[in-house]
Amino acid sequence: MSLLIFTEAGFSFGFGHFYRMSGLCDRAISEGTDVTMYLVSDDTARENLNREYVCFREWLECQDFSGMISPEDTVVVDSYHVDLDTLCKIRDAAKNMVVIDDNDRMPYEGMLVLNPNYYAPFMKYPDDRGNTYLLGKDYTLLRDPFVRRVDRQVKEEVSDILITMGGTDLKGLTSAAVDKLHTLISEGVRLHVVMTHAYPEQDMIRRKLRPQDRCYMDIGAEEMSSLMEMCDFAVATAGGTSNELIRMQCPSILVVVADNQENNVRYMTEAGYFDTFTMDDMGRIETMLGYEKRADMASKLKSLYSDQTAVDYIMKLTKGETI
């Protein structure tokens, strides 16, 4: 009885799937459950994601999973590139299969489909295909340091701003955000800029930072959760990081960098949980300096708290416990 993860990461894939699955792996290890992450990857991923539970394998091309999956295993599939035929082969080989889905990507049939995003309940999944759906705040995929209560006190004046643009930042958003914020804030306001070694503009970004600003490289979940809790608001991408920001009740203004983030932006912005900007309209970031806007966001974010997570659910499923 093992937990197996099938996912992907790399310069073109991004690192979002890896990071949300790594939290599940960390929990499994802490509870003494055997876990393996089969990871479709490139050289960038292989250089940065060498973990004890990672097995670099081009599983998307696999025709026979009997060598990787036993009938007692629970499998979680988190991929934007897997096809329906491959999912069926994995389902048939495993005891349980959970498909992670962000946007109703395929016509799933007879599957356990888990959407870990806060916007998931707004979506209209088909109810005539024999699927079981696990949606929204009770099924978030968050690393353990984010699974805690936060009591945010919104300050009148902003003193600390977080900039976090995902694992690769291919579009140079971090540099642009730093430039824009430096025109909007006083010397007393600090920028906290998170980067990874996959960022192509690391040196240029460092040169732009003032002495009071801080740069963080390849930080873990513990430090990231503390940053989100400490900062008055975040400028970030609209992917999986937004779920962590919501959990930390951190008012945020987000930018879309991939098509699969459109639902997140549309549903959550309409409900007032965060705001958005584009590269052509970075002036909107200035609105986050206002107290009333940040206070209203924080109040709405507090309503999304839940004691349950997808990690809890998947661990019980793996152990055969009653759910």
Side-chain angles (χ1 to χ4, degrees), residues 39-95:
L39 192 65
V40 174
S41 60
D42 58 12
D43 290 341
T44 301
R46 291 171 184 268
E47 291 170 4
N48 290 280
L49 305 180
N50 188 17
R51 308 287 196 274
E52 62 179 19
Y53 50 76
V54 170
C55 178
F56 296 106
R57 184 78 62 86
E58 296 299 314
W59 62 267
L60 286 169
E61 308 301 324
C62 184
Q63 298 300 314
D64 181 3
F65 285 90
S66 60
M68 287 183 276
I69 303 172
S70 82
E72 297 302 313
D73 293 336
T74 292
V75 177
V76 179
V77 183
D78 189 7
S79 168
Y80 287 148
H81 299 87
V82 67
D83 58 33
L84 199 57
D85 181 61
T86 301
L87 281 179
C88 290
K89 290 176 181 176
I90 293 173
R91 179 195 60 193
D92 294 344
K95 181 179 181 180

Side-chain angles (χ1 to χ4, degrees), residues 157-211:
E157 299 294 330
V158 169
S159 62
D160 296 274
I161 301 171
L162 174 63
I163 302 175
T164 174
M165 297 297 182
T168 54
D169 192 15
L170 302 182
K171 298 183 179 181
L173 295 164
T174 301
S175 178
V178 168
D179 287 341
K180 186 62 182 179
L181 281 163
H182 280 165
T183 70
L184 300 174
I185 60 177
S186 67
E187 290 296 313
V189 179
R190 295 178 294 270
L191 300 185
H192 299 266
V193 179
V194 176
M195 297 192 294
T196 75
H197 279 95
Y199 274 40
E201 298 180 338
Q202 297 171 48
D203 293 338
M204 181 179 71
I205 292 167
R206 286 194 186 92
R207 288 194 297 269
K208 289 183 176 184
L209 298 182
R210 306 164 303 170

Side-chain angles (χ1 to χ4, degrees), residues 100-311:
I100 307 302
D101 176 84
D102 295 306
N103 296 296
D104 194 15
R105 192 175 73 87
M106 288 191 294
Y108 308 107
E109 291 191 12
M111 296 183 181
L112 182 56
V113 180
L114 190 152
N115 188 325
N117 299 288
Y118 286 97
Y119 62 79
F122 295 109
M123 297 179 63
K124 292 180 171 56
Y125 281 94
D127 57 7
D128 60 349
R129 295 178 184 164
N131 297 313
T132 298
Y133 299 106
L134 308 173
L135 309 176
K137 68 178 184 178
D138 293 333
Y139 299 101
T140 53
L141 275 166
L142 296 166
R143 294 173 287 177
D144 278 351
F146 295 95
V147 184
R148 56 187 173 87
R149 285 189 176 273
V150 172
D151 182 22
R152 178 169 293 273
Q153 304 299 312
V154 180
K155 297 182 298 188
E156 290 280 351
E157 299 294 330
V158 169
S159 62
D160 296 274
I161 301 171
L162 174 63
I163 302 175
T164 174
M165 297 297 182
T168 54
D169 192 15
L170 302 182
K171 298 183 179 181
L173 295 164
T174 301
S175 178
V178 168
D179 287 341
K180 186 62 182 179
L181 281 163
H182 280 165
T183 70
L184 300 174
I185 60 177
S186 67
E187 290 296 313
V189 179
R190 295 178 294 270
L191 300 185
H192 299 266
V193 179
V194 176
M195 297 192 294
T196 75
H197 279 95
Y199 274 40
E201 298 180 338
Q202 297 171 48
D203 293 338
M204 181 179 71
I205 292 167
R206 286 194 186 92
R207 288 194 297 269
K208 289 183 176 184
L209 298 182
R210 306 164 303 170
Q212 62 268 46
D213 298 330
R214 290 202 59 190
C215 178
Y216 307 80
M217 289 297 298
D218 296 317
I219 63 174
E222 195 75 50
E223 192 170 6
M224 179 65 93
S225 68
S226 296
L227 274 175
M228 289 179 177
E229 186 174 11
M230 178 193 73
C231 288
D232 298 293
F233 72 89
V235 182
T237 49
T241 299
S242 66
N243 289 335
E244 297 172 348
L245 290 164
I246 289 170
R247 187 70 181 213
M248 292 295 102
Q249 297 173 23
C250 183
S252 305
I253 186 162
L254 309 180
V255 59
V256 173
V257 296
D259 291 342
N260 55 57
Q261 297 170 2
E262 292 289 350
N263 280 337
N264 190 21
V265 164
R266 183 170 75 254
Y267 292 125
M268 299 301 281
T269 302
E270 288 175 359
Y273 293 111
F274 48 65
D275 200 357
T276 58
F277 73 97
T278 66
M279 288 292 282
D280 295 329
D281 187 20
M282 295 193 72
R284 288 188 60 81
I285 295 174
E286 185 174 10
T287 64
M288 296 298 297
L289 297 171
Y291 168 77
E292 290 186 3
K293 181 168 185 174
R294 288 181 286 108
D296 182 60
M297 279 188 184
S299 176
K300 287 184 170 68
L301 295 174
K302 188 175 294 187
S303 70
L304 295 175
Y305 178 80
S306 172
D307 287 324
Q308 302 180 64
T309 72
V311 174

